[in-house]
Amino acid sequence: MAAIARSGDRAAFAELFDHFAPRVKGLLMRGGAPAELAEEVAQETLLAVWRKAALFDPAKASASTWIAAIARNLRIDIARRETRSRLSQVYEILDEEAPEQPDETLSGAERDARVRAAMTHLSPDQYRVVELAFIEGFSHQDVADRLAIPLGTVKSRLRLALSHLRGRLEDLR
C-alpha cells in the first residue's frame, strides 16, 4: 500500500489487486450481491484504492479492513442509485397516466426559477456542493472526492445551504 501511495507502483498494485479482488468479490457475494455486480464493485473498489492509497493510515485500520470499508460504501452507493432509478421509473409511469395541466407547468417553471434565484445567494462553496449533490446527482462521498474535501465538510455545507434555501423558499411549501 505504501509503494502505491508513494510512487504509484504498478507492480505493487497488481500484487494487491490479485490478492484482494477475489476476496472483495467473495465478501460481496456472501452479502447477497450477484456475481456480476460483486465483480464490478470489486474492480471499482480496487480502482478507488489506487486513487486513494495516500489516504490509507495503517494506524487506524489494516489494509483489508480499509478495502472492505471502501467496498461496502460503494455497494451502498450502488443500491441507493438503483433505488433512485426505480423511483424515477415509478414517477414517469405516474406522470404518463395524468397529463400535466398548463397551470402546473407554469407553477413548476416558476418554482424552478425561484430555487435557482435562491441558490445565487449561497456561498460559492455551498453552491458547488448543492450543484454536485442535487443537480448532478453525485453521492456525498463522490462530491467530497471531486472537490478534495472531507465528507464532513460536504455534509456541513449541504446542511447550511439547505437551511438557507428553506428560509428563502418557505412560501413554496
Side-chain angles (χ1 to χ4, degrees), residues 41-132:
V41 173
Q43 289 178 3
E44 284 185 43
T45 298
L46 288 155
L47 179 60
V49 168
W50 171 260
R51 289 191 324 257
K52 298 178 181 185
L55 299 176
F56 173 67
D57 183 357
K60 291 183 180 178
S62 68
S64 60
T65 301
W66 187 66
I67 292 169
I70 292 172
R72 177 187 166 276
N73 291 339
L74 286 172
R75 178 64 180 113
I76 290 169
D77 287 346
I78 288 169
R80 286 180 182 154
R81 275 184 253 155
E82 288 172 353
T83 300
R84 278 189 219 128
S85 175
R86 285 192 298 270
L87 284 175
S88 67
Q89 290 171 356
V90 170
Y91 291 136
E92 287 173 14
I93 291 169
L94 291 174
D95 286 344
E96 288 173 6
E97 292 175 4
E100 196 170 294
Q101 300 299 315
D103 59 336
E104 291 174 0
T105 303
L106 181 60
S107 174
E110 288 175 3
R111 186 176 50 247
D112 290 350
R114 291 271 315 278
V115 170
R116 279 192 298 275
M119 283 183 62
T120 63
H121 296 281
L122 298 175
S123 73
D125 290 336
Q126 290 174 351
Y127 183 94
R128 185 68 177 138
V129 169
V130 169
E131 179 182 43
L132 288 171

